[in-house]
Amino acid sequence: MQTLSTAAISCALNRMTDSHSEDDKDMRASTAKLHLATDTADEIDLVIKDVSMRFDTRQGTVTAVDGVSFEIRRGEFVSIIGPSGCGKSTVFNILGGLVPGYDGDVLVGGERISGPHASIGMVFQEESTFPWRTVIDNVAFPLEIKGVSKAERQAVARRFIDLVGLTGFEQRYPSELSGGMRQRVAIARTLVFEPRILLMDEPFAALDEQTRVLLGDKVLKIQQELRQTTLLITHNITEAVQLSDRVLIMTFRPGRVKRIVDIRLPRPRAGDVVGSEAFGRHVAEIWNDLREEASRGMAEAEQTARLRGG
């Protein structure tokens, strides 16, 4: 889980506690909502309705997620954050059609799905570029599988290579790129078939802080340009606040929706926004919830260790 300095947390908490403006009251009221306040004119792209998932282990049945429900509007950017073991990645895999046998419903554009869907693209945390392919051949790979002609797929690939800021690196191999650049190749490869919904599971976790902030800003610009519905799984509170329209906080296992926080900050979220008091208040309130759930997880782990030791 993301580590915050004691001074930063204390400062942000004091700001949140000392502020009594009407704007603060409105913000806290809005974050108490557990369901999306939909406008009939808004298109709901993704619906997760009462989803639960249980796994059989040697120690018995484990409930990973329990009754998770939320909706995402067309073009919205939503992050899911929670302590380790809360089921974030299970939700990601269910939405991507990678995990069968769950209870509940997943709907894309009102259509119930039960497996991989053409409207959904996925970006994973793990390194996923093909080392034997150049950047352009990596990005064009999904179109090659679809049987698109070489000239057409390379033209489309060049568009998305430019979109992620890698123009000039088309003929390079992954071994010649930095970690952040390789992740941009993976993102471009997912975007090349233009999925309506983009799922990302900790895509910046292996990167240094400066690179992940810059790459997050690049992803946000792409998302705004393509008006793509995006769901990000992350441990990083600052990243969630920087990128999201809303942040969904999950409880410790079994994972449930604890709270949905509306991020009421202007876009684009440049340095002046990220350094603002409002940004710090959002970070602090999410940290309060996350710390409570992470403490529960730590206490359970310590109790389990004592029982095994005894």
Side-chain angles (χ1 to χ4, degrees), residues 233-253:
I233 306 296
T234 182
H235 279 95
N236 190 298
I237 302 174
T238 301
E239 181 176 272
V241 175
Q242 176 198 4
L243 300 178
S244 305
D245 297 303
R246 292 183 299 144
V247 177
L248 187 152
I249 304 168
M250 292 187 69
T251 65
F252 180 67
R253 190 172 53 243

Side-chain angles (χ1 to χ4, degrees), residues 122-124 126-131 133 135 137-143 160-161 164 182-195:
M122 304 178 76
V123 178
F124 299 90
E126 296 80 12
E127 171 65 52
S128 62
T129 52
F130 302 131
R133 282 178 168 257
V135 167
D137 287 338
N138 260 287
V139 174
F141 180 72
L143 302 179
F160 286 96
I161 288 170
V164 299
R182 288 195 298 272
Q183 193 61 292
R184 278 190 268 173
V185 174
I187 291 169
R189 189 177 61 197
T190 301
L191 294 176
V192 79
F193 70 93
E194 301 187 50

